Amino acid sequence: DGDAHVTLVADAAKEMLKRQHKQKDWEVVVPLELLLQAEKTKRTFNIVLGSIAAISLLVGGIGIMNVMLATVTERTREIGIRRALGAKRRHIVTQFLVETVVLSVGGGLLGIALGLVIPAGVEHWAKMKTIVTPEAPVLAFAISAGVGVIFGLYPAWRAAAMDPVEALRHE
């Protein structure tokens, strides 16, 4: 392995310089070590950014769930009427899941638009090269829809679990 030879040669050069010079008026810089340090820093940076993204998705999902729970509460009577007219639980679940997905996809589309406009603005005004791969918006859209479905399951299930008679009595 060539990397091991570079490190061994650098260590040998350092030892030789230590023996030949009483003062440390020298320095051995190994570009490979700098590269390894840069990769370690990049890995740490990716972990921090991934953690921030995960927390943001969690907060966004909880927000979607709260909005949908409020919607279920506001529409209790409607749910009772639909159930009394023969709608099955799966129909109610489907209705609220579709609403949740529409909400999250709308937010996802807005996020994708910002994710494309901001890098273009950075390139234009800051004269810095930015790269947005074609897969990134597709992945963002899929994650947005997935978060909507996951966090919309509980409100949809709760709406479907309502007793039709009690829901009809609700004011």
Side-chain angles (χ1 to χ4, degrees), residues 76-145:
T76 300
R77 193 163 173 80
E78 173 195 331
I79 294 165
I81 292 169
R82 285 195 67 211
R83 293 275 290 151
L85 292 174
K88 297 193 180 347
R89 288 180 180 216
R90 64 184 163 87
H91 295 127
I92 303 297
V93 168
T94 302
Q95 173 189 346
F96 282 95
L97 274 181
V98 166
E99 289 181 30
T100 304
V101 168
V102 167
L103 182 66
S104 61
V105 164
L109 289 173
L110 182 63
I112 289 170
L114 286 172
L116 295 172
V117 168
I118 290 173
V122 167
E123 279 192 16
H124 179 74
W125 286 295
K127 306 293 186 226
M128 292 173 55
K129 179 76 175 143
T130 59
I131 300 170
V132 179
T133 61
E135 301 87 28
V138 173
L139 181 63
F141 188 78
I143 290 172
S144 177

Side-chain angles (χ1 to χ4, degrees), residues 10-21:
D11 290 342
K14 288 176 189 175
E15 280 301 315
M16 184 184 73
L17 286 166
K18 276 183 197 173
R19 277 187 255 132
Q20 299 295 324
H21 293 259

Side-chain angles (χ1 to χ4, degrees), residues 32-91:
L32 178 64
E33 291 173 357
L34 297 175
L35 180 64
L36 293 174
Q37 183 61 38
E39 286 177 2
K40 184 178 175 185
T41 303
K42 181 181 172 188
R43 194 169 34 252
T44 303
F45 190 67
N46 285 341
I47 290 169
V48 169
L49 283 178
S51 300
I52 291 170
I55 291 168
S56 298
L57 284 173
L58 180 66
V59 169
I62 290 170
I64 288 172
M65 186 167 51
N66 283 337
V67 167
M68 291 311 297
L69 284 171
T71 302
V72 167
T73 302
E74 289 172 0
R75 294 167 59 189
T76 300
R77 193 163 173 80
E78 173 195 331
I79 294 165
I81 292 169
R82 285 195 67 211
R83 293 275 290 151
L85 292 174
K88 297 193 180 347
R89 288 180 180 216
R90 64 184 163 87
H91 295 127

